[in-house]
Amino acid sequence: MFLNKKQISDFRENGYLFFPQLFDRKEVDILKKAVPEVLSRQGPEVVREKGDPTAARLAFGVHRYSEPYRRLTLLPNLVNPVRQLLQDEIYLHQTRMNPKQGFGSGSSWTWHQDFPPWHQVDGMPTPNCIMASVFIDDCTAVTSPLLIIPGSQKWGLLDSELHPDAQGRGYDLYHISQSTLQNLAEVNGIVPLLGSAGSVALIHSNLVHGSADNVSPWRRAILYLIYNAVGNACKKVIRPWYQNNRDFSPLVPIEADALRNYTPTQ
């Protein structure tokens, strides 16, 4: 997949692009079947929910220990459009899965930009970076969808501070103030990203977004692939491999059907 001029223009204006059902049912089924193994992994790369130590809040570095997800990161339907938008060769700065378990186990993410920790902690020079959000499950109005403020990336790097819930929890979340959020929302509005499993959103690293608690009985898993421009590689080495990948080798797309053809015996 390659983007046309209008899609590129829309991304520059709105800070995101949305592709319903970019991946087919067979590909989605393969990704779903791999989720339990990912979430059961023991190690610091899997962060548990504060109120439920049995529930995973985040699983970092998924592409390093799950073959289906490694293949996903290299599919041309992701690599090619991201390279177009960043106008550079790309590498994976980070991957993380947010499973958002139901019945309230999947807790909220306060309003934030993703770029601040990558800039302040990892030494990423500029926000020339994209978060590809791959829906592993259906994201509906009742399963705590990702909420975004279109065009908010044009406001630049906003004042933010480390959220107290993130301190000592294995991740960094810099949230913005309520007054800043109100100003942004009144000017730009808020949009929920709704779609079936296999849908994908390409999101600018400065776009303001957040999500509420998932109080539905259904899981709402999304895999976030953080693609960075090779020319924008991070300078610091404070965080471990699963949060700040130090391999800046340009990604080479694999065959378009590589994920669809995966079998667990491989």
Side-chain angles (χ1 to χ4, degrees), residues 163-210:
H163 196 282
D165 286 349
Q167 294 179 5
R169 300 270 290 122
Y171 61 89
D172 295 86
L173 175 66
Y174 287 74
H175 68 129
I176 64 175
S177 68
Q178 291 184 351
S179 59
T180 298
L181 173 64
Q182 184 168 356
N183 290 337
L184 284 169
E186 288 179 351
V187 173
N188 298 72
I190 297 174
V191 173
L193 295 183
L194 307 176
S196 58
S199 299
V200 173
L202 301 181
I203 298 175
H204 190 285
S205 60
N206 263 342
L207 192 78
V208 175
H209 59 282

Side-chain angles (χ1 to χ4, degrees), residues 23-37:
F23 298 110
D24 63 31
R25 177 52 55 186
K26 184 174 183 180
E27 292 169 311
V28 168
D29 287 345
I30 291 169
L31 295 175
K32 282 180 180 287
K33 288 178 181 177
V35 170
E37 183 178 3

